[in-house]
Amino acid sequence: MATIVEPASDFSALPEVPQGVFTAPLQRPAHVGEDWLEPKQRDYSSDDDAIWNDLFARQMDILPGRACGAFMAGLQKLHLNRGGVPDFRKLSEELGALTGWSVVPVPMLIPDHVFFWHLANRRFPAGNFIRSRETFDYIQEPDVFHDVFGHVPMLTDPVFADYMHEYGKAGWKAMRYNRLKALGALYWYTVEFGLIREGDDLKIYGAGILSGPREAVFALEGRSPNRIMLNVDRVMRTDYVIDDLQPTYFVIESFEELYHDTVERDFDRLYRSLGPGFTYANSAVIDVDDVLHRGTQEYHLRGGRGSNAEPV
Ligand SMILES: [Fe+2]
């Protein structure tokens, strides 16, 4: 059966990046090896723990009723409200018992092929550092709050956990076709910024939304952004913004549907049909879209981040 994954890959070994495949040129710090893993999680100060607690409290004012059921249940199952930055070892024990995943510390953003390799082995690499009070509202580099609070609760959901595993294994095939950018868009519009239908409501499962202060309300209730049912081929052709609220969110019916729609798709055929760049602008609405809400885009048209535009 054609799938997202290369059939004969050895996921136990770090993949070689084929010649000519572009990945971000990241400078590996001297104290980490090829796996980019920190020897141990850092010791956090009481100020660091207070920053975690304040970030946690701020999100808990916003997320109940907006975050999906799997996320809220995951917070409980992992006791993420116990206060202070979670200890990865304890977290991994609890998560491992639920879905076989672990959380491992990395110093910063890591190269794509290393990231895929960890996911393919059910290890979630989480930033080791926490933001400062000065960057409390917004940081571009994912820190431990984004990675652990935003991503890890979702890994307690068995189907979502398997989706992430298959996504990691998909890296090998994407590299062979030199289509990491397209596979990256899929991650962006699902794992980072995805919405899910629950009954008559939309809820959030994307970590980029769950870990930030403004986007939860904007994504669900704003009139600016488009909300469109997810179509895997379409999102893999769609550009995205990394430093502002999204002009478009894609909605899934269920994690089962996301899993099957993605994993059982013929990615060889898909990659062959994709160009090296994106076809659709991040605010585009196209003929094939099943549109739930056509956004006004007024937030972005007024200047977006850095302007005085209200995120409406
Ligand atoms: Fe993330």
Side-chain angles (χ1 to χ4, degrees):
M1 188 179 66
T3 72
I4 190 173
V5 175
E6 200 88 283
S9 299
D10 172 11
F11 302 113
S12 65
L14 190 66
E16 289 273 332
V17 182
Q19 274 252 303
V21 169
F22 176 80
T23 65
L26 298 169
Q27 186 64 45
R28 176 155 58 91
H31 71 283
V32 298
E34 301 252 296
D35 60 11
W36 284 68
L37 293 182
E38 291 280 3
K40 65 186 261 301
Q41 190 184 3
R42 80 166 61 176
D43 295 320
Y44 300 95
S45 67
S46 53
D47 284 351
D48 292 337
D49 284 333
I51 289 174
W52 171 281
N53 292 343
D54 291 349
L55 288 165
F56 190 96
R58 180 172 69 179
Q59 292 314 97
M60 295 317 286
D61 278 345
I62 304 167
L63 294 182
R66 293 194 174 96
C68 70
F71 177 83
M72 297 306 288
L75 285 178
Q76 298 272 323
K77 288 180 198 165
L78 298 172
H79 311 101
L80 280 178
N81 61 349
R82 32 169 108 92
V85 181
D87 173 46
F88 288 7
R89 229 170 348 181
K90 188 151 186 48
L91 198 55
S92 296
E93 271 171 33
E94 291 173 323
L95 185 59
L98 293 166
T99 57
W101 276 77
S102 63
V103 181
V104 290
V106 292
M108 53 188 272
L109 214 54
I110 63 175
D112 288 333
H113 70 290
V114 185
F115 183 66
F116 288 130
W117 177 61
H118 286 303
L119 297 187
N121 289 280
R122 292 175 100 86
R123 291 189 295 266
F124 188 76
N128 202 22
F129 67 100
I130 190 156
R131 69 194 73 182
S132 62
R133 292 278 171 200
E134 289 69 49
T135 55
F136 193 79
D137 288 338
Y138 178 72
I139 45 157
Q140 200 153 339
E141 179 107 347
D143 71 341
V144 67
F145 187 76
H146 167 80
D147 280 337
V148 172
F149 179 88
H151 285 283
V152 174
M154 289 305 303
L155 293 171
T156 63
D157 181 273
V159 180
F160 191 81
D162 285 348
Y163 172 73
M164 287 285 279
H165 186 203
E166 294 297 320
Y167 182 87
K169 296 194 306 190
W172 278 247
K173 187 177 278 188
M175 282 191 279
R176 180 160 64 82
Y177 282 99
N178 201 0
R179 290 292 178 265
L180 287 179
K181 217 172 141 83
L183 192 63
L186 178 63
Y187 190 86
W188 194 260
Y189 283 121
T190 59
V191 178
E192 293 290 356
F193 291 95
L195 302 180
I196 184 168
R197 198 129 62 172
E198 281 185 358
D200 291 336
D201 297 329
L202 297 186
K203 298 282 170 69
I204 304 157
Y205 72 93
I209 311 177
L210 293 165
S211 61
R214 296 196 305 166
E215 198 150 5
V217 178
F218 180 80
L220 292 180
E221 293 144 52
R223 55 181 186 262
S224 293
N226 302 317
R227 288 179 276 272
I228 298 172
M229 294 308 291
L230 182 89
N231 169 322
V232 173
D233 296 47
R234 190 264 202 247
V235 302
M236 288 178 75
R237 297 163 204 269
T238 306
D239 200 0
Y240 54 84
V241 268
I242 56 164
D243 59 355
D244 205 342
L245 306 173
Q246 298 302 309
T248 300
Y249 299 92
F250 290 94
V251 180
I252 61 170
E253 287 289 356
S254 66
F255 296 124
E256 285 79 5
E257 191 192 82
L258 172 66
Y259 182 89
H260 292 295
D261 263 12
T262 309
V263 170
E264 292 162 10
R265 185 171 295 265
D266 184 350
F267 268 67
D268 292 277
R269 203 170 121 186
L270 176 58
Y271 287 140
R272 279 195 294 268
S273 73
L274 294 176
F278 290 123
T279 309
Y280 305 119
N282 50 40
S283 59
V285 175
I286 61 173
D287 283 358
V288 299
D289 284 341
D290 179 358
V291 181
L292 302 178
H293 169 80
R294 182 162 190 149
T296 61
Q297 300 299 338
E298 61 196 90
Y299 166 71
H300 290 94
L301 291 170
R302 288 189 181 130
R305 184 182 298 282
S307 72
N308 288 324
E310 282 287 308
V312 291

